[in-house]
Amino acid sequence: MSTNPLPSPVQDFIAKIEVFRVPPRWLFVRIESTSGCVGWGEATLEGHTEAVEGALKDLSRRFLGWPTDNIEDIWQNGYRARFYRGGEVLMSAISGIDIALWDLKGKRLGIPVWSLLGGMVRDKLPVYCWIGGDRPSDILNEAQIRKDAGFTAVKMNATEDLGWLDSPAKLDASVERLQIAKSVGLDAGMDFHGRVHRPMAKQLALQLAPLRPLFIEEPLLHGHIPEIASIAKQTGIPVALGERLYTRQDFRPYLEAGAVDIVQPDVSHAGGISETRRIAILAETYDVGFAPHCPNGPIALAASFAMDVAAPNFVIQEMSWRIHYNVGADLLTYVKNPEFFEVKDGMVKAPMAPGLGIEINEELVRKAAETAEPWSNPVWRGPDGYIREW
């Protein structure tokens, strides 16, 4: 069986693939072609940086010399050719290469990536950003800062860490935080973050409902499909999930069970633009909204924008501006055209420049990568010593 690439009428081939680990916790991919075109991708997988770097080493060796125009053939080879497939590590590595190839192709042709996806169906994109932190605090001040910056919607962690069955009183603060955010005039999504187990999640969804949050996210850990569907049927709040699902096959049972109202695949985890847009198309057949997850870097966000512009069922886009994880660098640090992410009246303008539309400060990326350490998430234990969900 041949593993050689298919031919292409476009005589432009992958000449170099480079990977850059940069603060605060991002993994960038740079692809240069034989014609001198450059595309940037992002393969950030929070807490598993070194594993993705290993997968990228294998993929990079495999795809040197392949035609840059054959994005789908490269995707299929990366996904299928090693027998074992899927999972967050491989799919994040594929994401980085895939996004970079779309960026490169758009630049080579002189058109935005969204034009390659069928063209725009909107010219502005509703967005939201984070407030609060891992253990939510200072909600009023942070909500006002976001509103003053042009946002009309935010997201926050619904709770601190909880036991499987905890005191119901611990949910009171969640209700209060939502009330505070709404008092400033913001809509707010409440992220259960998979840290709320079923006995508490049912109670929390019930208590939040009168305040009408924008959505509840990951009400239970992924994999609990009938249990999430049960919560979805018990509440009128839209249920959002998907950051820990990586393929159409992963999303399919949630859609079939009626467990989700808004899918949230992450373009840096879910096979890049190629697979994430297919997930959006699949969700549309169930009348389910598309709201890409993106607490990560500027390249992943720009790739999300490209899909958002072209996806009929797109609803709102997450942004990582001033998110609590961004220590040592923020969304705009490595970008030469920060106006790309400017928010006005809760929306950003559709990008019009070729490729993804952002200009990466390559010199700064290379310098930051020289000393960047892999990022790890906190690990929590309850009063009894048992490990709790982050």
Side-chain angles (χ1 to χ4, degrees), residues 17-90:
I17 301 176
E18 298 177 276
V19 179
F20 300 97
R21 179 200 304 171
V22 297
R25 55 178 192 166
W26 303 332
L27 195 64
F28 294 167
V29 176
R30 180 186 182 275
I31 295 182
E32 184 174 339
S33 74
T34 52
S35 67
C37 290
V38 172
W40 287 90
E42 184 167 343
T44 299
L45 182 62
E46 312 93 289
H48 296 282
T49 301
E50 292 160 303
V52 179
E53 288 171 340
L56 278 166
K57 184 177 181 180
D58 170 56
L59 292 174
S60 298
R61 182 171 57 243
R62 198 188 315 177
F63 293 131
L64 283 178
W66 283 51
T68 61
D69 200 53
N70 291 357
I71 299 175
E72 186 63 29
D73 188 40
I74 290 172
W75 194 97
Q76 294 292 336
N77 189 286
Y79 181 70
R80 297 178 185 277
R82 286 290 197 265
F83 185 76
Y84 295 101
R85 61 191 64 176
E88 57 270 30
V89 173
L90 175 61

Side-chain angles (χ1 to χ4, degrees), residues 9 26 29 37 56 65 74 79 104 119 134 166 190 229 251 256 298 330 345-346 354:
W26 303 332
V29 176
C37 290
L56 278 166
I74 290 172
Y79 181 70
L104 190 153
D134 268 339
D166 223 318
M190 302 296 283
F251 278 90
E256 291 177 341
D330 203 358
D345 298 327

